Amino acid sequence: MLDLSKLNHNQLKAVTADDGPILIIAGAGTGKTRVLTTRIAYLIEHEGYDPQRILAFTFTNKAASEMRNRINNMLINNYVPWIGTYHSICLKILKQDINALGREQNFNIIDEHDQLGIISDIYKEGEIYAKDIKPKKALEVIEKIKTAEIDITKINSIHQLKELGIYKWESFPTFKYIVAQYEKKLLRNNLVDFNDLLILTHKLLAEHVVVREKWQNKFDYILVDEFQDTNYMQFRLLNLLINPNKQNVFAVGDPDQTIYTWRGAYPNIFDDYLNNFKHTKTYVLDLNYRSTKKILKVANSLIAHNQQRIEKDLVTNNDFGDNVICYIGDTSQQESHYIVQQIAGMIKNKSYAYHEIAVLYRAKHLSRNIEQELINNNIPYYVFGDIRFYQRREIKDLISYLKVLVKPNDEIALKRIINVPTRGIGQKTVDAIHKYATANNLSFYEVLVKCANDEIDSEWNKKNIKTFMLLLERLTNEPKSGALVDTLQFIINATKYKDYLKELDQFEERWDNVTELIASLAEYQSKYPNNNMANFLDEISLYTDSNDAKLHARNSVSLMTIHFAKGTEFKVVFIIGMNEDIFPSSRTLQEDDLEEERRIAYVAITRSMHKLYLTCNLAFSPIAANKLTPSRFLKEIGKDKYHEEHSEMISISKADLQWYDSEKPFVVEEQYSDTNIKFKIGDVIVHTLFGSGVIVGINGDMLDVAFKAPWGVKSLIKNHKSIKRLKN
């Protein structure tokens, strides 16, 4: 029996609402996932909906898995198969009906690494120099064109090119060639990239009425999680899948957390939804279960400065909690030192564990100083957003072997494994085979077969090619037990892949990754005993989240960008770099950009449960070419919402540290202070020019101070106004 007693008033209204279009404005920490999953369970148990006919869109595979688990815990034996990302749902649709577009159903999906491989081949064939248009830039522009559905043949001005990231008109003909060849190669090899999954599905549903009606009749109810992250293409897909006669759609999101406009999301998506579905019932979830009252006051005060938003204030029944701290240091080192000392104190007092603490930043480069300080203090930490599991070298190698077993003519996979482990088939030979295949209108695989059968007269190392083809034949024909894991184990043993890894650096870490791949394959087969290797490859090709489940179990401080932190929560959060031109970013040129920066800050603030620190420093910035200033966001929040702390220093005088002014006459007597500070060896001081240093010697009125490179040891008059001393 479904238990609704734990829902608050607004949650209950949303979960039990009548059919028809519904929009849930769900603030941070207000239980949106609970509402969405409970709504699905309610539809099944109380409204009689068939779980096979419910479709739910999520934005990560992890979220989809969590949603399934929650529903399974609420309703026994009610599996909802159609829960997934837009890409995974589109894959399922295309696997059934792509033939309506004249394409074969056994297509493969390629990732960024494979895309760059294709572009590299195009450069070689067209004799294009990478310095003219870098391959990564070419791929970036291709993705912009495809996402925005731009017809490249209609571009006729340099301004249009600059919007794509191309700044020379003379580069345009070359780029048109790259785009044309890229699409031709995808079509010829029956490949699709991630953008194609959405584009082809939209084309399929928009142009083929019978197919569209089939899918509209397939689903009685559609739900969308994280609606604020929906881009225009996804919204159009959603509209094509919704049955127009029923309009049973349930969207949950928070316009104040729209932080992915660079990926196509836009705040006006909520207005579009209300305009599309005229009789929408709207519910607001504003009771926050995560943060203290003082943290929410900071969040509400900041986001209220945005004009383009649906007004709401988060409230909570939680305690007022500790004061929000705003720390302002003189240098970035002081800022990092302060944070690490706070963390060390929490651990020493056993008030929090390392894994309950996060340091968030607007841009990756801001982590450098905090990392150094954590290392210096032997505090364990983990930087999230590293290379994703399925993008790691050893994993891609073995996945490529599996792909070739499923589809022998997969050119990209073949090229990856043809010399892995090393078997004497170098890049020159691969390039020659590719060139021969292109000239003779053959696939890469067909040329390998002909070479192995002595049907091609060439100078290639046929012996090694024959050995490789015999290996593939052995892998393909070896009797299998039916267990997918056995197939992978056989590949590892037959290729002596473990021995190959031993020749590389970081063997133990790489082998741990291989072991994890074996475990993931075993887990997949246990979950889906009737699925085959092709199904497994389809699923993992969609893994766009990093596999961080085990990493969260580490007892370490979490370091991550705010974008990466979205969807997480920590008991203690430090938001560093709260400086103008850093946060908000110096790239903030228009009011819309500033509003997004404010939303990013709002997301960061609302990750915190118990304690929140906002930190900045006033050091000289080589980027801004002047001293840093505190972020305008701190002023917008209001000083009455936080407790301000400064660097723990005693000034030798009350004079401004910027004591030297070249426009004023130099008066020697004014450069010294009468204050008699009793220095001792080991004291830490800060100098206006040399930065922080340690006193290593005292000779009368002179201090010998060791500064960081390049300054070294300097002798200073101890009562000079250029010096401040840290408190003991």
Side-chain angles (χ1 to χ4, degrees):
M1 184 71 178
L2 182 61
D3 181 12
L4 303 178
S5 63
K6 294 181 181 179
L7 300 176
N8 66 43
H9 177 69
N10 286 356
Q11 290 175 335
L12 183 63
K13 284 170 65 177
V15 165
T16 60
D18 293 335
D19 285 351
I22 295 171
L23 180 61
I24 310 298
I25 307 298
T30 58
K32 70 171 183 60
T33 305
R34 172 187 288 184
V35 167
L36 195 64
T37 52
T38 308
R39 174 65 173 177
I40 293 174
Y42 179 83
L43 290 173
I44 295 169
E45 184 169 293
H46 288 268
E47 300 296 328
Y49 277 86
D50 182 349
Q52 305 282 329
R53 297 175 63 81
I54 293 175
L55 168 63
F57 286 111
T58 65
F59 272 79
T60 66
N61 295 292
K62 181 181 175 182
S65 178
E66 181 185 345
M67 196 177 292
R68 285 194 199 94
N69 291 337
R70 288 201 186 196
I71 294 168
N72 289 340
N73 289 336
M74 286 187 247
L75 301 176
I76 306 300
N77 298 325
N78 275 285
Y79 178 67
V80 183
W82 288 88
I83 297 178
T85 63
Y86 276 94
H87 289 92
S88 65
I89 298 300
C90 287
L91 172 62
K92 287 184 176 183
I93 293 172
L94 290 175
K95 282 292 184 180
Q96 289 192 34
D97 289 319
I98 197 173
N99 54 344
L101 296 175
R103 302 280 294 263
E104 296 177 18
Q105 290 176 317
N106 67 335
F107 62 85
N108 278 344
I109 305 163
I110 56 172
D111 60 15
E112 181 181 335
H113 185 276
D114 297 333
Q115 289 174 290
L116 287 170
I118 290 173
I119 291 172
S120 178
D121 288 341
I122 294 169
Y123 277 39
K124 289 170 186 173
E125 294 164 12
E127 297 184 350
I128 300 168
Y129 295 103
K131 66 179 182 180
D132 295 336
I133 303 175
K134 289 190 175 5
K136 276 204 168 187
K137 170 57 71 175
L139 179 57
E140 180 185 316
V141 180
I142 286 172
E143 291 187 339
K144 281 184 181 178
I145 287 171
K146 296 180 81 162
T147 303
E149 300 176 88
I150 296 170
D151 184 348
I152 195 170
T153 62
K154 293 182 180 178
I155 291 177
N156 53 26
S157 74
I158 187 64
H159 174 71
Q160 290 173 301
L161 281 183
K162 284 181 178 179
E163 288 183 342
L164 294 175
I166 302 175
Y167 298 94
K168 293 182 180 179
W169 185 256
E170 54 267 31
S171 300
F172 189 40
T174 302
F175 185 73
K176 279 203 291 190
Y177 170 81
I178 294 170
V179 173
Q181 291 300 310
Y182 175 82
E183 292 299 333
K184 189 181 292 183
K185 284 182 178 294
L186 259 59
L187 193 60
R188 177 176 176 179
N189 290 287
N190 200 22
L191 302 171
V192 300
D193 60 28
F194 263 47
N195 286 312
D196 287 330
L197 290 174
L198 304 187
I199 292 167
L200 293 176
T201 304
H202 180 268
K203 182 179 176 66
L204 178 68
L205 298 175
E207 297 179 2
H208 297 270
V209 178
V210 174
V211 177
R212 179 170 70 247
E213 289 180 348
K214 165 192 168 180
W215 289 101
Q216 287 176 347
N217 292 325
K218 162 73 177 170
F219 303 116
D220 293 326
Y221 210 100
I222 299 180
L223 303 95
V224 187
D225 191 15
E226 303 286 6
F227 187 63
Q228 76 279 348
D229 294 335
T230 304
N231 64 35
Y232 189 52
M233 171 64 78
Q234 291 163 344
F235 187 58
R236 287 160 64 195
L237 278 167
L238 176 66
N239 277 288
L240 288 170
L241 286 167
I242 292 170
N243 189 314
N245 299 319
K246 297 177 181 177
Q247 291 195 346
N248 285 336
V249 57
F250 187 96
V252 182
D254 183 5
D256 288 336
Q257 295 187 70
T258 306
I259 64 172
Y260 290 108
T261 57
W262 50 275
R263 230 163 49 180
Y266 59 110
N268 293 337
I269 189 76
F270 292 86
D271 293 332
D272 288 355
Y273 185 95
L274 293 170
N275 290 332
N276 265 36
F277 308 110
K278 301 295 183 185
H279 304 292
T280 296
K281 294 182 284 292
T282 302
Y283 302 92
V284 177
L285 305 182
D286 55 7
L287 181 59
N288 179 282
Y289 292 92
R290 177 185 299 152
S291 306
T292 65
K293 284 184 170 70
K294 289 184 178 179
I295 291 171
L296 292 186
K297 277 188 177 182
V298 169
N300 289 332
S301 297
L302 177 63
I303 202 64
H305 285 79
N306 275 6
Q307 301 300 311
Q308 301 176 40
R309 64 184 292 259
I310 299 173
E311 288 192 26
K312 71 176 187 309
D313 267 358
L314 293 178
V315 297
T316 185
N317 295 324
N318 294 340
D319 294 335
F320 280 95
D322 296 336
N323 285 329
V324 173
I325 304 296
C326 174
Y327 172 80
I328 302 174
D330 285 340
T331 66
S332 59
Q333 288 80 11
Q334 282 181 22
E335 182 182 2
S336 298
H337 180 76
Y338 173 83
I339 292 167
V340 172
Q341 291 308 305
Q342 296 301 310
I343 293 172
M346 293 174 197
I347 301 303
K348 184 177 180 180
N349 297 334
K350 297 183 179 179
S351 48
Y352 295 99
Y354 288 127
H355 70 270
E356 296 174 322
I357 303 169
V359 180
L360 308 183
Y361 33 84
R362 178 65 182 86
K364 289 180 180 179
H365 70 272
L366 295 172
S367 72
R368 183 176 64 86
N369 281 319
I370 191 71
E371 284 192 65
Q372 289 178 347
E373 193 70 25
L374 289 165
I375 291 168
N376 292 341
N377 287 271
N378 295 314
I379 291 178
Y381 72 92
Y382 182 79
V383 181
F384 284 78
D386 200 357
I387 298 173
R388 294 166 181 165
F389 181 77
Y390 286 98
Q391 298 299 314
R392 292 167 186 167
R393 173 178 175 175
E394 54 277 9
I395 302 304
K396 284 186 72 70
D397 287 346
L398 294 173
I399 292 298
S400 293
Y401 271 103
L402 295 176
K403 283 183 176 181
V404 169
L405 293 194
V406 172
K407 185 183 175 186
N409 64 345
D410 186 325
E411 181 175 337
I412 294 171
L414 277 171
K415 286 181 177 178
R416 184 175 186 93
I417 65 172
I418 195 169
N419 203 39
V420 176
T422 307
R423 52 177 65 90
I425 306 175
Q427 190 59 46
K428 284 187 178 180
T429 302
V430 172
D431 291 344
I433 295 170
H434 177 86
K435 188 174 181 180
Y436 184 93
T438 303
N440 292 275
N441 200 30
L442 296 169
S443 70
F444 191 86
Y445 177 75
E446 287 171 333
V447 176
L448 290 177
V449 172
K450 286 181 176 292
C451 183
N453 293 334
D454 293 318
E455 296 175 19
I456 295 176
D457 184 19
S458 71
E459 296 178 358
W460 307 334
N461 192 327
K462 291 185 180 180
K463 179 182 177 182
N464 293 344
I465 292 174
K466 285 181 180 179
T467 301
F468 174 63
M469 296 305 286
L470 286 171
L471 171 67
L472 293 187
E473 183 177 347
R474 181 185 168 200
L475 295 176
T476 304
N477 296 330
E478 182 74 15
K480 306 295 189 306
S481 66
L484 303 183
V485 171
D486 290 350
T487 301
L488 179 57
Q489 289 281 20
F490 184 72
I491 290 171
I492 292 168
N493 295 335
T495 60
K496 298 182 179 178
Y497 192 76
K498 188 172 184 178
D499 293 336
Y500 166 70
L501 289 183
K502 287 178 181 177
E503 301 299 317
L504 305 179
D505 60 345
Q506 300 175 312
F507 162 72
E508 289 165 349
E509 183 179 338
R510 292 181 189 279
W511 184 247
D512 285 345
N513 290 335
V514 171
T515 304
E516 186 63 24
L517 177 63
I518 294 169
S520 72
L521 197 53
E523 182 180 337
Y524 179 84
Q525 178 137 8
S526 173
K527 192 182 294 184
Y528 308 108
N530 297 323
N531 284 8
N532 56 28
M533 189 66 77
N535 299 135
F536 173 73
L537 293 172
D538 280 342
E539 175 158 310
I540 64 169
S541 68
L542 297 163
Y543 285 178
T544 55
D545 336 296
S546 52
N547 186 7
D548 286 328
K550 290 190 175 181
L551 297 177
H552 279 293
R554 295 172 181 252
N555 190 20
S556 57
V557 176
S558 298
L559 272 61
M560 64 187 80
T561 64
I562 298 166
H563 282 91
F564 196 91
K566 189 170 178 290
T568 64
E569 62 181 24
F570 297 90
K571 290 182 178 179
V572 182
V573 170
F574 294 86
I575 306 173
I576 67 174
M578 291 293 291
N579 288 96
E580 199 67 14
D581 291 333
I582 293 177
F583 202 6
S585 167
S586 58
R587 298 187 182 94
T588 304
L589 302 175
Q590 301 173 355
E591 187 60 32
D592 285 351
D593 299 327
L594 181 58
E595 293 216 347
E596 173 141 358
E597 290 291 301
R598 217 174 264 118
R599 291 193 296 268
I600 295 170
Y602 175 82
V603 166
I605 291 165
T606 54
R607 299 310 94 200
S608 178
M609 300 168 70
H610 298 170
K611 296 176 77 70
L612 173 65
Y613 293 80
L614 311 171
T615 72
C616 65
N617 70 80
L618 307 178
F620 180 85
S621 167
I623 297 173
N626 54 29
K627 282 187 72 174
L628 292 170
T629 58
S631 169
R632 72 184 71 185
F633 292 162
L634 297 175
K635 183 178 179 181
E636 291 177 354
I637 289 167
K639 283 194 173 184
D640 60 320
K641 307 294 190 310
Y642 55 77
H643 172 70
E644 192 170 290
E645 294 186 5
H646 292 264
S647 55
E648 293 188 346
M649 291 194 166
I650 296 175
S651 180
I652 293 177
S653 77
K654 294 182 179 179
D656 187 340
L657 269 180
Q658 298 299 313
W659 53 270
Y660 181 73
D661 187 338
S662 61
E663 294 182 359
K664 292 181 179 180
F666 183 82
V667 181
V668 173
E669 290 77 9
E670 293 180 0
Q671 309 309 317
Y672 301 94
S673 170
D674 295 331
T675 306
N676 186 22
I677 301 294
K678 293 183 179 179
F679 292 103
K680 64 180 184 295
I681 292 175
D683 281 350
V684 178
I685 65 103
V686 174
H687 188 274
T688 54
L689 175 62
F690 307 132
S692 61
V694 178
I695 297 174
V696 294
I698 302 175
N699 301 299
D701 291 334
M702 302 299 293
L703 303 176
D704 293 331
V705 184
F707 294 100
K708 293 181 180 178
W711 306 115
V713 177
K714 300 286 182 182
S715 293
L716 307 171
I717 296 174
K718 68 180 181 181
N719 67 335
H720 202 284
K721 291 181 179 180
S722 63
I723 298 173
K724 283 184 178 180
R725 185 183 70 175
L726 284 171
K727 283 183 179 177
N728 293 326

